[in-house]
Amino acid sequence: DIQMTQSPFTLSASVGDRVTITCRASQSIRTWLAWYQQKPGKVPKLLIYKASSIESGVPSRFSGSGFDREFTLTISSLQPEDLATYYCQQYDSDPYTFGQGTKLEIK
Amino acid sequence: QVQLVQSGAEVKKPGASVRVSCKASGYIFIDYYLHWVRQAPGQGLEWMGWINPNSGATMFAPKFLGWVSMTRDTSISTAYMEMTGLKSNDTAVYHCARGIDHTNMIMDVWGIGTTVTVSS
């Protein structure tokens, strides 16, 4: 199985900050990576797919980048509603593993 | 609008079986894969497998092979996920999610989840 490791586990930042979450794969997944946002008590929401393609309706402050084994999700200017846990998921090969999640807190 | 409506919460004893349903609406059921993802209390997301509603083909993560099955009834646009031999650590919220993109592996619409509690 491909292991997905996110860092940090938790992140505390202020409104307006630029925030970056990293996801590393245990082997190459090319660009077959998605990012999901899960707000407390809600279902996951697709943000980014194919490493850098933004899903329709997602605010432009979210962006993704990376290739091969290392990927990042960036929020250019943190908003209060971005309080959530963020998950990366590889879909290069089954099983389509998720990272353990990064919990983003607002200071 | 596109929706996935799941069946209600279940409470089961260890060793029992459970079947969770996922009814699709707002799109052509057979055109998109359906994935099942679970989330144990306070834990992260775990991908279980997918079903191709058109062909009925399935694929499972290795830990779910042999005790989880996925089926569908195209006449009522509903997918089912059945688990047998439940253990306490199968207590989780089980989501179905639609797979999109040419890969069918990106999940754009999620059901709200079905809580399955396994307890003696």
Side-chain angles (χ1 to χ4, degrees), chain A residues 7-81:
Chain A
S7 60
F9 290 116
T10 61
L11 176 57
S12 183
S14 300
V15 172
D17 282 356
R18 182 180 182 87
V19 169
T20 297
I21 298 169
T22 298
C23 178
R24 290 187 175 88
S26 59
Q27 64 190 69
S28 177
I29 57 169
R30 297 170 285 176
T31 56
W32 301 120
L33 184 100
W35 289 97
Y36 296 87
Q37 173 195 64
Q38 187 176 30
K39 295 184 177 181
K42 302 296 185 183
V43 301
K45 174 186 175 182
L46 175 66
L47 296 177
I48 303 283
Y49 61 96
K50 208 165 184 296
S52 60
S53 296
I54 192 166
E55 172 71 345
S56 175
V58 172
S60 58
R61 64 180 179 275
F62 290 92
S63 63
S65 64
F67 174 75
D68 192 28
R69 294 181 57 194
E70 185 148 340
F71 303 85
T72 59
L73 173 70
T74 299
I75 308 173
S76 60
S77 178
L78 189 66
Q79 300 301 303
E81 60 268 30

Side-chain angles (χ1 to χ4, degrees), chain B residues 9-78:
Chain B
E10 302 268 8
V11 180
K12 297 292 182 180
K13 294 194 184 303
S17 299
V18 70
R19 189 176 81 158
V20 178
S21 67
C22 172
K23 182 172 176 59
S25 63
Y27 72 97
I28 300 172
F29 179 64
I30 60 172
D31 282 355
Y32 298 87
Y33 284 28
L34 274 173
H35 297 259
W36 291 89
V37 176
R38 74 177 183 180
Q39 188 166 31
Q43 302 300 306
L45 302 171
E46 182 175 29
W47 180 80
M48 300 176 67
W50 55 251
I51 181 167
N52 177 343
N54 188 31
S55 66
T58 55
M59 177 168 284
F60 299 93
K63 71 181 289 184
F64 299 104
L65 279 171
W67 64 284
V68 175
S69 61
M70 296 176 189
T71 57
R72 91 288 190 220
D73 184 339
T74 57
S75 69
I76 55 172
S77 300
T78 299

